[in-house]
Amino acid sequence: MTMKIKPHKITFSLHTLLVLFLTGGIVVFVGLGVNLLLKVQQVNQAAATERLTNAKLELTRALQKLTQDAAELGLHLSNWDEVQQQLVTPTYYAYWREQRMQKTGQLPDYVVDIELYNTEGKALVQPHSSSLPDPLPVNENYFSHEHNVSFLYRFTPVYDRIEANKIIGYTGIKMEVLPALLALYHFSHTQADSINTVGFAGKLTSIDEILPYLEFEPRPSPQSTNLESLIKWNLLHFSILMAGMVLLMYFLFSYFLKRPLATIVKQINTLRAGNPSPLLETQFPLAVTEIDTLKESLVRYQFDLDKVHSKLDTQNVELWHLAHHDPLTGSYNRRAFDDDWANLTELFQDQRISISYVLFDCDHFKAINDTYGHQIGDEIIKIIAANLQTCLRKGDKLYRLGGDEFAAIILNTSTEGVSYLAERCCKVIQFYPFKDLGIREPVTISIGIANAEGTDLNQLKALPRHADLAMYHAKKSSLKIQTYTQQMGEDSSILSSHIVNAVLAAVKDNERILPHYQEIRRCNTNTVSFYEALVRIKDVDGLIYPGDIFPVINRHALNAEFDHGIIAAIQRDLEADIIPHGTGVSINLSAAALIESALDQHIVGLLPYLHSHTIVMEVTETSLISHLNQATDNLKELQRLGFIIALDDFGSGYSSIRYLANMPVDIVKFDIAMIQTMQESTRNRKIVEHIAKMIRDAGYQLIAEGIEDQKTLDLVIEMGATHVQGFYIDKPVRLPHKLPNAGNQ
Amino acid sequence: MIILPSFRGLLLKGFFLLILLISLPLGADTVREKLPSGRYGVATYHQAELSKPTILVLHGFLTTHNFNTVMGIVDLLAENGNTVLAPTMTLGINARQGGLPCDAIHTHTLEEDLEEIRFWIEWLNNRGHQHIVLTGHSSGSLELLAYLNKNPHPAVKKLIATSLVYADGFNPAALVEQQIAAAQQKHSLGDRSLQSYTLSYCRGNFLAPAYVYLSYTAWTRERVLTALQQSPVPVTIIMGGKDERFQDSWVQGLRQTGAEVIIIPGASHFFDSHHEFDLHDAILSQLE
């Protein structure tokens, strides 16, 4: 099972996405609109150019028609009877030209003047009064600009009607160019009222010469103009509509999607934080079906979760009870003692109280057990526990520390009072009719007492050892009750100073630390998933085991330093490729190490192996109790880096379920006590099975440790454990004792 | 004598007219001759057999030989096998091509027209035509009558005068009298300035010096009737029964001259519509 480092994911809020989407839409729309307008403009420009060209061509054709018309008019005039009459008999020419020509209708209105010339090219009447030139000019026709008006002059010879080649005179006509153009030509490409001539000097005899002096405007294309206006108008309208739609979308999105989702997210966050808020049922109804469904699901989930929590709390209480009580005697067990002792340690720092540590031990219990059997031995233990409990005050707790050893912590009681209590305990045991059990020998207990007063933490921490010493003396003495004295401490030879020195030396030099690895196997494939690293210290006489190591570590509060050494030792084993690729290793982290702010510095050496090995950090619930926030942050960081987090000794604490729900945990380990509890009764078994199922259904891996026989193995597999660990599976060894193939065993 | 129209004759004439219209351009010539005035006159000339009377057809006031009524007569007679000459009076314009508007400057006189008529008759005679019938319309009839009144050519044998008018029979007598008096006054002073007169259908816009006006108004009603009585050749007058230019007294006066007067009922001054056929019948009947 190899976990990869999860890459950091970039997320966007719904609001940001909406804004981006709408902004993008607006940008696209604006871009399309601008592009459309530019295209329309291009088309219009091209059309305008074409219209200009067409207008110019049209104007050219109009001028051609004009000159042609002038020629035809000249010819018509020349053939006119009255012109023939005047050229032959010009008696009344002046009247004819000035009066008659205006009435005749022979010439169009744009002909402003005419003149008749004799064969010599002179006007018929002298001096001539017309605006046409006299004598006849050389050019047959020409354009002239006079007094801001352009004229076309046309001079045509008049031939004799009988002798066709004989010229009898000339006609001259003068026509105004602009009115003539407008009368002769229907302009379809040119705006007729825009045609104008600019001044020019001299006489222009061709169309090409006069064309540059014509001003004109192409006729606008109403279709183009209308289309452009229509497009602009529609773009404007659509823009307004688009703006309105964007605002409406933003409002609808915000009101019907974002706000409800934010409410739901908030609800989820409060659930995650472990602060359940009132159900969403009390909130406003939602308009979007999917969100409403989501909300309903969340409400149902929250309701179900609350039910489960409630059920789990109940089971937790039961579990805690199971985990903190000795199943044989009903007394508090070692775990309960450790918890209470830790709390007491904190309390002792702040308050001046007297604490008495009373240690009870059954004399010669092993011999009685061996003689009368385990069943009688258990009965004796039960009786002792019950009787000792009766002697204690209400509220005092009796702890079974193990085997035949009990302890009690008495607070705020004088030494005399504690001594009195101890005597009572001795007597009640002494006078109990154990013979009813068939025991012939007297059953007695030895009691060791250690007192501490004040706020000296060292003194407090020394109480168990002092009580041990006192107990030692009580065993060796006829006085079954001994209270610790300083003299006892000085004379102590119970705990070997060699072991202490070796342990302390290993803390300084972690090369002495020699992790031994016990397999944790997958139930479905019976293959090694990873190894739990169990600490051993190399000594000249062999190995020092945890039982001797941790009292020293705990006593000297070197838990964090010792964990650093273990991590370094494991890192060496990884570097030496002792731990096979494809498997992994689990490391037990103490509370002190877990809450270190510089934890990441000590694990940095393990990071390169995350891609090839599974590295599990095991923490216990007790290590989470103090400095919960710091522990949580560190666990989250470990998880983020790629470490797997296992919650060890599940069920031993008061709020195992709560920690499981709120901590970043990947694996849950049922310890031996939980496994043993299963076998005690059907009820206990069902409780444990339900808890196991809940854990599995929640997606956690479940390791059952303490497997010592096939029956237990079958039981935990049936329970739903995903992995198993224990002496029956594998004994801790120093690798490579064998080289397990993770996929083949 | 009154000719009554017949449907059969109508149909026949229509058919022949159609044939004539199709075939006429091929047979007619346009002649241009230099007149004694020095100007050139233009006429349409259709030469046929000399055995049949030669017809000179003269148009009305200010028009040309292309006038509808005139052309219809020309076509009729050409089809009839007659030699036909229809000249256009120059009215002072060399080779005049079109009708002269009332408000054009008029420098021509009736006397000049008579000289041109004389020329054309002699032209015909010089080509061997010895039996010439003069046919005129409106003032053309008047001018032909005026010609007969002044040493007509002996080849002229008859006058058929259609819609015969007298000078300014169209206008109120008082006006005519007033204008004549004013014109005479001007003429006596040698005033040759232009003046607008009412003459014939030109109402107040006949632009001419006094002498021109007086030349046309000299042929009064009495003078016409007298000329008819004194005509050296037979005269047949064909009038339209609905010619609104004249009152009945004119026709009555014409009858009293001893000339043959033919009335075509319902016909206008121009014998348009189906009355044209009646006119043609009447003319042909005069040539038999």
Side-chain angles (χ1 to χ4, degrees):
Chain A
M1 182 167 64
T2 302
M3 298 293 290
K4 295 183 181 176
I5 298 174
K6 297 174 187 174
H8 182 62
K9 193 165 60 176
I10 298 174
T11 60
F12 296 96
S13 70
L14 212 53
H15 180 264
T16 304
L17 285 174
L18 174 66
V19 170
L20 284 174
F21 173 74
L22 292 177
T23 305
I26 291 170
V27 167
V28 167
F29 172 73
V30 169
L32 286 175
V34 167
N35 187 49
L36 180 62
L37 286 175
L38 286 175
K39 285 279 190 287
V40 167
Q41 205 172 5
Q42 285 175 4
V43 167
N44 278 345
Q45 281 173 354
T49 304
E50 187 177 345
R51 287 199 298 273
L52 185 66
T53 305
N54 290 337
K56 203 169 179 181
L57 285 173
E58 188 177 57
L59 214 50
T60 304
R61 285 194 293 271
L63 285 170
Q64 287 170 349
K65 189 155 182 2
L66 175 66
T67 53
Q68 186 183 349
D69 178 72
E72 289 173 358
L73 274 175
L75 202 61
H76 169 74
L77 199 62
S78 299
N79 286 327
W80 191 24
D81 284 338
E82 291 188 42
V83 167
Q84 295 276 335
Q85 177 193 49
Q86 294 303 315
L87 284 174
V88 172
T89 313
T91 308
Y92 300 102
Y93 170 69
Y95 178 88
W96 179 85
R97 194 184 72 78
E98 291 172 14
Q99 302 289 332
R100 169 68 183 142
M101 281 309 301
Q102 291 183 10
K103 298 177 188 175
T104 181
Q106 288 286 324
L107 297 173
D109 292 341
Y110 50 82
V111 176
V112 297
D113 206 353
I114 70 162
E115 185 66 89
L116 298 182
Y117 299 86
N118 58 22
T119 54
E120 295 172 356
K122 289 192 169 44
L124 281 188
V125 170
Q126 294 293 335
H128 92 293
S129 57
S130 75
S131 60
L132 279 86
D134 182 35
L136 195 70
V138 173
N139 302 107
E140 189 177 57
N141 56 253
Y142 60 87
F143 293 92
S144 171
H145 195 76
E146 304 156 19
H147 305 295
N148 298 325
V149 179
S150 293
F151 297 98
L152 171 64
Y153 289 86
R154 176 75 192 185
F155 302 95
T156 310
V158 180
Y159 292 94
D160 186 85
R161 284 177 169 173
I162 305 302
E163 297 176 60
N165 295 326
K166 180 182 175 184
I167 294 175
I168 63 172
Y170 299 88
T171 62
I173 58 173
K174 176 181 178 182
M175 52 173 65
E176 207 172 332
V177 170
L178 287 182
L181 283 176
L182 297 176
L184 288 171
Y185 201 87
H186 174 70
F187 291 93
S188 56
H189 296 290
T190 313
Q191 284 192 78
D193 55 1
S194 71
I195 301 173
N196 195 16
T197 53
V198 294
F200 58 88
K203 299 175 183 177
L204 306 177
T205 58
S206 70
I207 293 173
D208 291 336
E209 286 181 35
I210 193 175
L211 202 56
Y213 295 98
L214 280 176
E215 292 178 336
F216 61 95
E217 289 290 331
R219 191 182 290 275
S221 169
Q223 291 85 358
S224 290
T225 308
N226 289 342
L227 182 63
E228 186 176 358
S229 297
L230 188 68
I231 289 173
K232 284 181 180 173
W233 187 247
N234 276 287
L235 270 178
L236 177 65
H237 275 115
F238 193 66
S239 300
I240 295 170
L241 183 65
M242 181 90 168
M245 289 293 294
V246 165
L247 287 172
L248 182 64
M249 270 186 71
Y250 184 81
F251 166 74
L252 289 176
F253 183 85
S254 295
Y255 187 77
F256 289 108
L257 280 176
K258 178 175 168 291
R259 194 165 67 149
L261 282 175
T263 305
I264 292 171
V265 167
K266 185 180 171 186
Q267 181 79 3
I268 291 172
N269 286 337
T270 56
L271 284 176
R272 287 174 65 185
N275 300 317
S277 59
L279 298 179
L280 283 174
E281 282 295 345
T282 60
Q283 301 291 330
F284 49 85
L286 302 170
V288 179
T289 305
E290 289 79 1
I291 292 182
D292 201 45
T293 304
L294 178 65
K295 181 212 77 174
E296 291 297 325
S297 298
L298 183 63
V299 165
R300 275 198 304 276
Y301 171 76
Q302 187 176 352
F303 180 72
D304 292 342
L305 191 64
D306 286 345
K307 277 175 65 179
V308 169
H309 277 168
S310 176
K311 190 175 174 184
L312 286 175
D313 283 344
T314 305
Q315 288 182 347
N316 206 33
V317 168
E318 290 182 0
L319 191 66
W320 186 90
H321 182 81
L322 287 173
H324 286 76
H325 286 74
D326 175 49
L328 179 65
T329 63
S331 305
Y332 289 94
N333 58 12
R334 178 74 196 209
R335 183 162 291 127
F337 173 79
D338 289 338
D339 291 346
D340 290 344
W341 185 251
N343 291 337
L344 195 63
T345 306
E346 283 194 23
L347 185 67
F348 192 77
Q349 292 180 52
D350 299 328
Q351 296 183 22
R352 186 184 174 82
I353 54 175
S354 64
I355 302 175
S356 296
Y357 188 103
V358 183
L359 204 58
F360 306 90
D361 190 276
C362 182
D363 295 328
H364 313 294
F365 178 74
K366 189 175 183 308
I368 295 174
N369 210 33
D370 291 340
T371 304
Y372 294 95
H374 290 282
Q375 193 170 354
I376 298 296
D378 287 347
E379 282 298 315
I380 290 173
I381 294 299
K382 285 164 67 174
I383 292 168
I384 291 174
N387 282 277
L388 287 177
Q389 189 67 56
T390 61
C391 294
L392 295 174
R393 300 170 304 177
K394 190 178 177 183
D396 289 335
K397 291 180 181 177
L398 180 68
Y399 304 90
R400 183 183 177 192
L401 298 182
D404 60 340
E405 191 176 60
F406 293 85
I409 301 171
I410 310 297
L411 301 176
N412 292 322
T413 306
S414 64
T415 55
E416 293 78 16
V418 175
S419 295
Y420 174 75
L421 187 148
E423 285 176 7
R424 229 175 36 167
C425 291
C426 261
K427 282 184 180 168
V428 74
I429 297 301
Q430 183 182 0
F431 292 112
Y432 187 85
F434 285 100
K435 62 178 184 297
D436 292 342
L437 298 177
I439 300 172
R440 293 183 296 275
E441 292 82 8
V443 177
T444 58
I445 60 175
S446 295
I447 301 174
I449 302 172
N451 297 309
E453 191 161 353
T455 58
D456 185 352
L457 191 61
N458 290 329
Q459 190 185 17
L460 175 70
K461 287 182 178 179
L463 280 180
R465 184 163 149 293
H466 292 172
D468 249 349
L469 288 172
M471 169 63 71
Y472 174 75
H473 283 278
K475 288 283 187 187
K476 291 196 305 185
S477 165
S478 60
L479 294 175
K480 295 283 114 182
I481 302 171
Q482 289 286 335
T483 302
Y484 174 79
T485 63
Q486 190 172 352
Q487 186 62 44
M488 288 180 187
E490 291 170 359
D491 294 337
S492 169
S493 60
I494 295 177
L495 290 173
S496 166
S497 60
H498 169 75
I499 292 175
V500 172
N501 290 335
V503 172
L504 294 177
V507 173
K508 286 183 183 174
D509 176 17
N510 57 50
E511 297 274 346
R512 294 167 181 255
I513 298 175
L514 211 65
H516 279 50
Y517 298 96
Q518 185 180 31
E519 294 177 359
I520 297 173
R521 284 184 169 256
R522 300 183 187 87
C523 292
N524 56 351
T525 59
N526 195 26
T527 54
V528 175
S529 179
F530 56 96
Y531 300 86
E532 182 174 359
L534 301 169
V535 69
R536 308 286 187 264
I537 292 177
K538 191 167 60 175
D539 189 43
V540 291
D541 297 326
L543 296 174
I544 304 175
Y545 290 83
D548 292 326
I549 296 172
F550 285 103
V552 177
I553 295 297
N554 292 337
R555 211 160 288 138
H556 289 83
L558 292 172
N559 303 76
E561 291 80 357
F562 191 58
D563 282 351
H564 301 160
I566 295 172
I567 290 170
I570 292 171
Q571 183 180 339
R572 283 198 299 277
D573 287 343
L574 285 168
E575 287 169 359
D577 221 4
I578 286 175
I579 302 171
H581 283 226
T583 66
V585 59
S586 71
I587 306 169
N588 290 283
L589 269 188
S590 64
L594 180 61
I595 63 173
E596 275 188 313
S597 58
L599 175 63
D600 54 338
Q601 295 177 13
H602 300 290
I603 61 162
V604 66
L606 300 175
L607 295 178
Y609 299 96
L610 285 171
H611 70 280
S612 58
H613 295 79
T614 301
I615 302 180
V616 181
M617 294 294 181
E618 292 192 19
V619 296
T620 59
E621 185 182 329
T622 51
S623 65
L624 298 175
I625 289 176
S626 60
H627 301 88
L628 182 63
N629 290 338
Q630 181 65 41
T632 306
D633 290 345
N634 282 352
L635 286 175
K636 284 182 179 175
E637 180 60 19
L638 287 171
Q639 206 177 38
R640 189 191 71 79
L641 291 171
F643 293 94
I644 307 297
I645 307 300
L647 184 62
D648 197 6
D649 296 339
F650 180 83
S652 63
Y654 185 76
S655 303
S656 294
I657 299 298
R658 183 173 169 230
Y659 287 124
L660 189 64
N662 292 288
M663 289 293 139
V665 171
D666 303 298
I667 300 171
V668 174
K669 294 185 79 173
F670 278 6
D671 84 331
I672 188 169
M674 284 284 284
I675 305 304
Q676 287 175 349
T677 299
M678 280 180 65
Q679 303 179 68
E680 288 172 3
S681 66
T682 304
R683 180 167 171 270
N684 288 353
R685 178 177 166 177
K686 282 196 183 310
I687 290 172
V688 174
E689 283 178 348
H690 281 305
I691 293 171
K693 184 176 185 306
M694 179 197 71
I695 290 168
R696 292 286 295 120
D697 289 347
Y700 297 99
Q701 302 288 322
L702 179 59
I703 299 176
E705 56 180 359
I707 309 301
E708 297 188 354
D709 51 45
Q710 183 64 41
K711 180 184 173 189
T712 307
L713 177 62
D714 294 338
L715 203 62
V716 299
I717 291 175
E718 190 182 338
M719 175 189 74
T722 58
H723 298 74
V724 289
Q725 180 185 5
F727 273 34
Y728 183 72
I729 306 301
D730 181 42
K731 293 184 175 52
V733 293
R734 178 69 190 152
L735 294 176
H737 175 73
K738 56 184 180 293
L739 293 174
N741 186 330
N744 293 334
Q745 286 196 6
Chain B
M1 178 180 170
I2 299 173
I3 301 293
L4 294 176
S6 66
F7 181 73
R8 184 163 170 269
L10 201 69
L11 206 60
L12 195 61
K13 296 297 185 298
F15 175 74
F16 280 126
L17 186 63
L18 183 63
I19 299 296
L20 185 66
L21 284 172
I22 295 170
S23 61
L24 187 61
L26 297 176
D29 293 325
T30 299
V31 295
R32 294 181 178 83
E33 295 294 337
K34 190 170 183 179
L35 301 169
S37 63
R39 296 184 288 270
Y40 277 83
V42 178
T44 186
Y45 177 61
H46 181 87
Q47 184 169 354
E49 299 172 6
L50 291 177
S51 59
K52 284 199 173 179
T54 300
I55 317 298
L56 185 144
V57 183
L58 188 60
H59 59 80
F61 192 54
L62 304 182
T63 62
T64 68
H65 65 263
N66 292 313
F67 191 72
N68 288 342
T69 307
V70 172
M71 284 306 297
I73 296 171
V74 169
D75 295 338
L76 169 74
L77 296 174
E79 184 198 343
N80 196 44
N82 298 92
T83 296
V84 186
L85 176 70
T88 293
M89 299 292 100
T90 63
L91 303 184
I93 296 172
N94 192 34
R96 185 167 68 94
Q97 294 177 345
L100 204 58
C102 291
D103 52 0
I105 297 175
H106 300 276
T107 58
H108 51 91
T109 62
L110 187 138
E111 285 74 20
E112 289 171 352
D113 295 340
L114 295 183
E115 291 303 313
E116 291 185 15
I117 293 169
R118 189 179 301 283
F119 168 83
W120 287 111
I121 291 172
E122 289 177 358
W123 185 83
L124 282 171
N125 183 255
N126 291 337
R127 279 158 179 72
H129 298 279
Q130 303 298 320
H131 189 98
I132 300 173
V133 174
L134 302 178
T135 304
H137 174 258
S138 189
S139 64
S141 299
L142 172 63
E143 291 190 339
L144 290 173
L145 181 62
Y147 166 76
L148 289 176
N149 194 47
K150 192 176 179 184
N151 299 320
H153 196 283
V156 175
K157 305 302 182 187
K158 190 179 177 63
L159 171 64
I160 302 173
T162 71
S163 298
L164 178 63
V165 300
Y166 60 91
D168 233 356
F170 296 168
N171 299 302
L175 176 62
V176 172
E177 190 177 331
Q178 181 187 354
Q179 286 184 147
I180 291 173
Q184 284 174 342
Q185 174 72 18
K186 285 185 76 171
H187 182 63
S188 65
L189 296 174
D191 186 351
R192 297 174 78 91
S193 62
L194 295 172
Q195 180 74 40
S196 292
Y197 296 97
T198 297
L199 177 63
S200 183
Y201 57 78
C202 296
R203 310 294 167 137
N205 59 351
F206 183 78
L207 192 63
Y211 71 90
V212 167
Y213 174 70
L214 290 173
S215 75
Y216 287 98
T217 55
W219 282 84
T220 61
R221 175 190 166 104
E222 287 71 27
R223 188 171 177 184
V224 169
L225 293 175
T226 303
L228 282 170
Q229 289 172 347
Q230 295 174 355
S231 174
V233 297
V235 178
T236 300
I237 303 167
I238 304 174
M239 302 296 289
K242 287 289 185 182
D243 190 345
E244 295 172 351
R245 284 173 171 71
F246 302 100
Q247 297 173 353
D248 290 337
S249 60
W250 171 239
V251 174
Q252 193 176 3
L254 289 173
R255 286 202 172 100
Q256 290 173 354
T257 62
E260 186 183 6
V261 178
I262 300 172
I263 304 298
I264 298 177
S268 67
H269 185 75
F270 302 99
F271 300 98
D272 45 14
S273 185
H274 63 277
H275 298 296
E276 187 179 24
F277 303 114
D278 299 326
L279 172 65
H280 293 171
D281 287 342
I283 293 172
L284 287 175
S285 69
Q286 295 302 309
L287 297 176
E288 289 174 353

